[in-house]
Amino acid sequence: MSTIIFPSPIFGPVHSRRLGVSLGVNLLPADGKVCSFDCIYCECGLNAERRPKQPLPTREEVRTALEEKLKDMQVNGPSPDVLTFAGNGEPTAHPQFAEIIDDTIELRNHYFPKAKVSVLSNSTFINRPGVFEALMKVDNNILKLDTVNEDYIRMVDRPSGSFNLREIIERMKDFKGHVIIQTMFIKGTCWGESVDNTGDDFVLPWLEVVEAIAPSQVMIYTIDRATPDKHLKKATHIELDRILEMLNSKGISASASY
């Protein structure tokens, strides 16, 4: 199935199912994907098929492009609900991520002080002190936790390099509630293996860990756009609603995107 690559360093605004009118900040190249995960459901495609030739945008390029876009939106609209770090891979992988967050907050405060700053991250670099401190500054620190089954993560999210799920979970707890957990629920198969994580064997251990992390919110969702693997299927409304009810029964604020 076809997948998409986003412009860089600024794209949109787009309408986000979870965040509203979202102006995208893409800290990765415009011609490919750079990510510490290689998720089989990624709308940007697989890493090996999307290797970029262009460099990462510099801090100065990001700041200049963002300011120009915000000036234009002040005049022509629409007003953004959120400035969202997303795009062609993992935003926290950028070596100047922390400094770019500082620039973005400054520009947001000047042009659209009511807008939120959000980061969509796969959580793999939250052990880096600079990344952790930067994420504490943003309004919406949205971190991926698709499951607490490491074998499933290695099959579906496919981390590159070293990966320690236990360390990531412990670091998530260190945010002391300043974190939003985002979880993708899917069905179907990959290489003949089931990737259905909607059943109790996956949901109950995940729910226990989420409760221990004590996030401000949980966002659950399913496939919305084309994926590299044609054997994947959406989780149903009934399945997501069931998980939502389980979160709510624990007193955890949660939302579902179908």
Side-chain angles (χ1 to χ4, degrees):
M1 301 174 72
S2 61
T3 51
I4 59 175
I5 290 293
F6 295 93
S8 179
I10 306 299
F11 64 94
V14 299
H15 186 270
S16 166
R17 289 184 294 169
R18 297 176 291 281
L19 302 172
V21 177
S22 173
L23 181 64
V25 184
N26 177 18
L27 301 186
L28 292 314
D31 66 334
K33 181 185 169 194
V34 178
C35 198
S36 50
F37 273 5
D38 195 16
C39 300
I40 61 173
Y41 59 73
C42 182
E43 65 186 12
C44 295
L46 300 178
N47 294 350
E49 299 169 355
R50 299 286 191 170
R51 298 197 185 282
K53 296 180 180 178
Q54 297 177 11
L56 300 176
T58 65
R59 174 187 180 182
E60 293 73 21
E61 288 170 339
V62 175
R63 182 185 177 98
T64 297
L66 178 58
E67 185 163 25
E68 288 177 355
K69 185 63 177 179
L70 293 176
K71 285 180 178 178
D72 176 73
M73 294 175 78
Q74 267 196 334
V75 175
N76 300 307
S79 297
D81 296 311
V82 62
L83 312 180
T84 306
F85 285 78
N88 302 336
E90 175 51 37
T92 66
H94 195 290
Q96 293 182 295
F97 174 75
E99 292 84 358
I100 292 170
I101 288 294
D102 287 339
D103 292 342
T104 301
I105 292 172
E106 180 185 338
L107 292 172
R108 181 276 309 271
N109 291 345
H110 181 75
Y111 291 101
F112 290 99
K114 293 183 180 180
K116 305 293 186 183
V117 177
S118 298
V119 177
L120 301 178
S121 170
N122 65 21
S123 313
T124 51
F125 297 124
I126 60 175
N127 281 318
R128 295 180 179 179
V131 170
F132 183 90
E133 292 162 10
L135 291 175
M136 286 294 291
K137 297 177 183 178
V138 305
D139 300 289
N140 297 320
N141 170 30
I142 305 172
L143 300 181
K144 176 185 292 294
L145 184 65
D146 284 345
T147 179
V148 295
N149 181 316
E150 192 156 334
D151 289 338
Y152 182 95
I153 289 176
R154 294 191 181 281
M155 177 174 65
V156 173
D157 295 343
R158 305 199 304 177
S160 58
S162 61
F163 177 80
N164 189 312
L165 178 60
R166 185 182 300 273
E167 287 182 1
I168 288 174
I169 290 169
E170 291 304 311
R171 195 57 167 154
M172 286 179 170
K173 296 177 184 177
D174 291 338
F175 284 107
K176 305 297 183 185
H178 185 68
V179 58
I180 296 170
I181 297 299
Q182 179 175 264
T183 301
M184 169 72 84
F185 287 100
I186 58 174
K187 302 176 72 175
T189 61
C190 176
W191 302 110
E193 297 281 338
S194 172
V195 294
D196 186 343
N197 64 336
T198 64
D200 283 349
D201 51 340
F202 284 98
V203 173
L204 293 180
W206 167 83
L207 184 59
E208 183 178 347
V209 169
V210 168
E211 197 172 11
I213 294 169
S216 62
Q217 185 182 353
V218 175
M219 295 176 173
I220 63 173
Y221 66 126
T222 191
I223 297 166
D224 184 48
R225 300 187 178 102
T227 63
D229 193 315
K230 64 181 180 180
H231 300 292
L232 304 183
K233 299 178 181 178
K234 292 170 68 79
T236 67
H237 281 235
I238 292 173
E239 287 161 338
L240 290 183
D241 284 343
R242 184 183 80 94
I243 297 166
L244 194 60
E245 289 174 6
M246 295 170 76
L247 288 161
N248 290 336
S249 72
K250 297 287 187 180
I252 300 169
S253 176
S255 62
S257 298
Y258 304 97

